[in-house]
């Protein structure tokens, strides 16, 4: 059912038929219940509404009788009794007075926001609900009737105010009638004065003021308000009759653009300033906040459809309109001329908002006003510049977001997260910013509108759910709800971007679509190759669809996703051109990465890493041969720049797609297998092994020799590489061959023999200026120095190696060296410095992934410092990462198992210690001599715990034999040595130790086995 109180009390059925309600008292009772529809009305209020201050005896019983009578005429259950009062169980949306009040509030809000057109439409809808005086046929409760009349009049005044802000203005005749009916309402009188003045009737406007002044003096003995007096003075001076404040009211706090606000404050001497940026960047809010302290007029050009209406919109916002009647002999004055005349002597800031769709006309207006009105300045907002001489541009970049892994304490420093936190707290009290919310801000590219829309979704979803839906559905579907009172094109993220798209020419749309294939931006050369016309690119920069900075062009992520949808619809082959360009770039860079220019090319490829990954993804899906070439060409870049993990998933998918190695791309297949490790299958490793063993020519990608040695280990194919069969005759290949042979000597335990080769490789790499090879040689020499006890030399070599790897950004190898240096520092006895290296490696691992070596270093340090529980946890985690069967980790597993054995010794658990040490011995490769030495020393510790000092001394000697030199400073070795001497005596210890140390390598291995 529907109910009406804005006029005679009426009730309509669902079919629209009138439902009779008879009797003055029951009708009055129904009116009272309708005014509080859906809420409990106490009996005392019903009595007061019916009878006033002097209710008769038995009034409560009378109310009950009236209710019974009402119930007979209305559907059953509509009037409910709840002990202390009655409730009319209807939706307020079915009662005209509640609909009216809601619309009146919406209209007032739109008016305060500067949306005059929308405010006028909503307020007209509200006032059309009135069918006459409220409750005209209900003779009771006059106070409520008076309240409704006042609300109606206030809404009428708001409608007049909205109409005064429109180019067509309002009816002066209707305004006169309203003023005559309400002669003491100053707001109405001021509106009449403004309307008359705008229509060219200055004398009539002044007379309306005089009439109001006399009435106030005669009736109230008062003077006009300051606002009315100011308006009178403005009309006397011939200036625009406008209200004192024309800026949209702030409905939320201002967050995130404080630096730009300060910059605008410093530009107040500039007469034309234009805020540029993509939709949703916060241009309007920044402009209004900047203008709030001065004499400013806000003009929203968004509703304007034709350029010729721009001047009229400004006239309307100022309250200056054209005179009413014109003839061919006396045509209407040009709106722009009338505007410059009205502003000629004014000091004013005009905020021209949303200029992009009428940019030419807005520019013409700005030029005319700035030329003819020396006291007027303009602050414009637009997605492209107005293009006038003297224009100062203030581009709005996305809000800064915290980088991944930033500590929680830093989030308050970043505008994007501060904005999200404040808006989220408004809809979810008690909200606390977390890592998921910070990631949402980053995923939304720091767009203020997108962040506000995402925060608003916390009314319905948790932060984790918002993040998940953003990842699954993308921003446009998630952020599909916004402020209902906003203009349609500002209500959702999709609408904002679609509006920008609609303003582009077909040629601009084509380039924008194609540009969406770039990930992380692009150079001009790349854009011209993939997208076409570079001149159109400049137009897209001007229109804030693309950002240009630092020699690169970038599309904001939300815009890029929108354009990518348009690209998919078009069938354009931009992805193929993108792949071709970046394959060519990778192939050109590959050999240059092994020369002195490697830093330049690493920097260039790092800048294009997003594009390279996108090209790989597209190639894996669409062109397997191109994918193999690209993954192979990027192998040295991925390795040198510490980006190995980025290639694993794509390489594994490609291997699954191609099956057998394609003809002519066998070498590329091997590199793909190497980059897919540890996800490559045994069958794929087998095929790669066959290819390596069958190659009888120089490698097209010489870095494959290094990767095979590092990943697959020093097997027979590596030996053939060392003989030079696969490596070339260039200086880098010769240096790598020397380095490889020396490193294999280290693995075999021939540390002293490998040293001259390492020194030679170091000299050759330094001569080339190649940092990666130099760092490898320095690291190996440092390890020898630390084993020898040359602590200062070891630290110096490691410091230099780390410096070179930091230049490259090789995170994986930086962590490796930090862990090895930590081990050397621990043997030296400097556990504080060792701890600093382990912590740094740990911090890096949190963002790059957990190499097993880092976990082992943490565990070893914790064990030496007596933190046995932490050590055990780290050793056990390391076992999960150090998978058996891979050369890169097979040397780590015995170290982990030995460490667990030593912890069991500390606990006094001999059975567990035997088991761990037995696993370490069974796991250790007979080719990795230094790891076997560690196993021997672990076995020595177990022997000591079992009371066999002589065996402990003997096994320590075996360890020394395997290392090929004396081990100095190791805490465990020192402990075992002291314990063994105590058990067997110094002389017997020396003899047993010497017996073990004198063993040949083969005999030492046999003694362990």
């Amino acid at each position: 059912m529907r109910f009406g109180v804005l006029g005679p009390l009426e009730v309509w059925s669902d079919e629209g038929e009138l439902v009779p309600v008879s009797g003055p008292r029951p009708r009055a009772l129904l009116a009272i219940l309708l005014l509080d529809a859906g809420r409990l009305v106490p009996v005392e209020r019903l009595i007061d509404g019916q009878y006033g201050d002097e209710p008769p005896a038995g009034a409560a019983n009378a109310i009950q009788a009236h209710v019974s009578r009402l119930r007979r005429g209305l559907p059953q259950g509509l009037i409910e009794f709840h002990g202390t009062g009655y409730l009319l169980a209807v939706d307020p949306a079915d009662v005209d007075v509640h609909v009216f009040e809601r619309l009146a509030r919406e209209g007032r809000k739109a008016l305060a926001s500067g949306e005059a057109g929308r405010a006028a439409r909503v307020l007209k809808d509200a006032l059309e609900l009135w069918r006459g005086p409220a409750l005209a046929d209900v003779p009771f409760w006059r106070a409520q009737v008076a309240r409704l009349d006042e609300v109606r009049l206030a809404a009428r005044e708001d409608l007049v105010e909205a109409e005064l802000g429109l180019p067509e203005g309002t009816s002066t005749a209707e305004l006169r009638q309203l003023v005559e009916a309400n002669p003491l309402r100053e707001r109405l009188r001021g509106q009449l004065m403004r309307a008359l003045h705008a229509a060219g009737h200055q004398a009539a406007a002044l007379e309306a003021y005089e009439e109001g002044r006399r009435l106030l003096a005669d009736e109230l003995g008062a003077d006009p308000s300051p606002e009315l007096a100011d308006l009178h003075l403005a009309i006397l001076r011939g200036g625009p009759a406008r209200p004192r404040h024309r800026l949209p009211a702030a409905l939320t706090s201002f967050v995130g653009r404080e630096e730009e606000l300060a910059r605008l404050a410093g530009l107040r001497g500039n007469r034309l300033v234009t805020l540029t940026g993509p939709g949703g960047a916060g241009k309007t809010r920044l402009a209004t906040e900047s203008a709030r302290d001065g004499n400013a007029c806000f003009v929203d050009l968004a509703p304007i459809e034709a350029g010729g209406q721009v001047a009229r919109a400004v006239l309307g916002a100022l309250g200056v309109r054209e005179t009413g009647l014109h003839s061919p002999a006396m045509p209407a004055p040009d709106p722009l001329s009338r505007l410059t005349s009205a502003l000629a002597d004014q000091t004013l800031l005009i905020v021209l908002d949303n200029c992009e769709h009428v940019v030419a006309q807005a520019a013409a207006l700005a030029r005319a006003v700035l030329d003819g009105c020396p006291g007027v300045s303009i602050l414009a907002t637009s997605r492209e510049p107005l293009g006038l001489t003297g224009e100062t541009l203030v581009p709005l970049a996305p809000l800064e977001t915290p980088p991944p892994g930033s500590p929680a304490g830093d989030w308050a420093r970043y505008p994007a997260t501060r904005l999200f936190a404040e808006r989220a707290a408004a809809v979810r009290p008690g909200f606390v910013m977390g890592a998921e919310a910070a990631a949402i801000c980053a995923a939304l590219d720091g767009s203020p509108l997108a962040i506000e829309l995402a925060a608003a979704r916390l009314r319905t979803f948790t932060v984790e759910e918002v993040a998940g839906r953003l990842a699954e559905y993308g921003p446009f579907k998630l952020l599909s709800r916004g402020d209902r009172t906003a203009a349609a094109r500002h209500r959702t993220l999709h609408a904002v971007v679609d509006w920008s798209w609609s303003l582009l020419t077909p040629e601009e749309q084509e380039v924008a679509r194609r540009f969406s294939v770039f990930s992380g931006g692009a150079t001009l050369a790349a854009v011209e190759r993939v997208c076409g016309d570079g001149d159109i690119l400049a137009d897209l920069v001007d229109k804030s669809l693309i950002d240009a900075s630092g020699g690169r062009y970038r599309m904001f992520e939300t815009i890029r996703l929108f354009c990518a949808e348009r690209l998919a619809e078009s069938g354009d082959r931009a992805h193929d051109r993108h792949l071709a360009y970046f394959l060519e770039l990778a192939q050109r860079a590959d050999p240059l990465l092994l020369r002195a220019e490697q830093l330049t090319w690493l920097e260039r490829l790092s800048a294009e890493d997003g594009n390279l990954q996108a090209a790989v993804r597209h190639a894996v899906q669409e062109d397997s041969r191109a994918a193999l070439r690209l993954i192979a060409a990027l192998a040295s870049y991925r390795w040198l720049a510490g980006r190995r993990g980025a290639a694993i998933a794509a390489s594994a998918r490609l291997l699954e797609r191609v099956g057998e190695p394609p003809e002519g791309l066998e070498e590329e297949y091997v590199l793909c297998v190497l980059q897919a490790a540890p996800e490559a299958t045994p069958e794929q490793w087998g095929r790669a092994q066959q290819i390596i063993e069958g190659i009888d020519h120089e490698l097209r990608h010489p870095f494959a020799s290094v990767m095979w040695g590092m990943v697959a280990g020093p097997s027979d194919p590596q030996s053939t590489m060392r003989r030079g069969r696969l490596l070339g005759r260039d200086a880098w290949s010769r240096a790598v061959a020397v380095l490889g042979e020396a490193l294999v000597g280290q693995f075999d335990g021939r540390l002293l023999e490998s040293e001259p080769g390492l020194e030679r490789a170091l000299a050759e790499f330094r001569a080339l200026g190649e940092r990666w090879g130099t760092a490898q040689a320095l690291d190996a020499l440092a390890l020898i120095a630390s084993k020898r006890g040359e602590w200062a030399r070891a630290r110096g070599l490691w410091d230099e190696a780390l410096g070179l790897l930091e230049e490259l950004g090789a995170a994986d190898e930086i962590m490796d060296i930090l862990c090895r240096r930590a081990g050397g520092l621990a043997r030296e006895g400097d556990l504080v410095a060792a701890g600093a290296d382990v912590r740094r490696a740990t911090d890096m691992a949190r963002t790059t992934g957990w190499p097993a070596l880092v976990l082992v270093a943490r565990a070893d340090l914790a064990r030496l410092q007596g933190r046995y529980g932490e050590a055990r946890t780290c050793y056990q985690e390391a076992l999960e990462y150090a998978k058996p069967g891979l050369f890169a980790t097979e040397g780590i597993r015995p170290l982990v198992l030995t460490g667990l054995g030593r912890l069991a010794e500390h606990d006094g658990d001999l059975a567990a210690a035997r088991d761990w040490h037995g696993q370490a011995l069974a796991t250790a490769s007979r080719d990795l001599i230094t790891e076997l030495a560690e196993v021997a020393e672990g076995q020595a510790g177990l022997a000591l715990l079992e009371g066999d000092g002589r065996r402990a001394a003997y096994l320590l000697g075996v360890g020394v034999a395997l290392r090929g030199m004396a081990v100095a400073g190791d805490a465990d070795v020192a402990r075992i040595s002291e314990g063994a001497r105590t058990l067997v005596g110094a002389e017997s210890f020396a003899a047993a130790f010497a017996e073990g140390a004198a063993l040949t390598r083969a005999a030492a291995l046999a003694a362990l086995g």
Side-chain angles (χ1 to χ4, degrees), residues 741-742 744-755 784 929 962-963 1001:
E741 186 168 356
V744 169
Q746 272 197 334
F747 293 143
D748 286 342
R750 295 180 283 108
L751 297 174
L752 294 176
E753 294 178 28
S754 70
E755 196 167 18
I784 292 174
I929 300 301
L962 289 172
R963 292 187 188 277
R1001 172 179 172 175

Side-chain angles (χ1 to χ4, degrees), residues 280-292:
K283 301 183 292 295
T284 299
R285 183 64 189 275
L286 177 59
T288 54
E289 290 298 323
S290 174
R292 221 170 271 290

Side-chain angles (χ1 to χ4, degrees), residues 767-785:
L768 281 170
E770 201 277 280
R771 292 160 180 79
W772 179 85
T774 304
Q776 298 305 309
L778 288 167
D779 178 34
L781 288 167
L783 190 61
I784 292 174

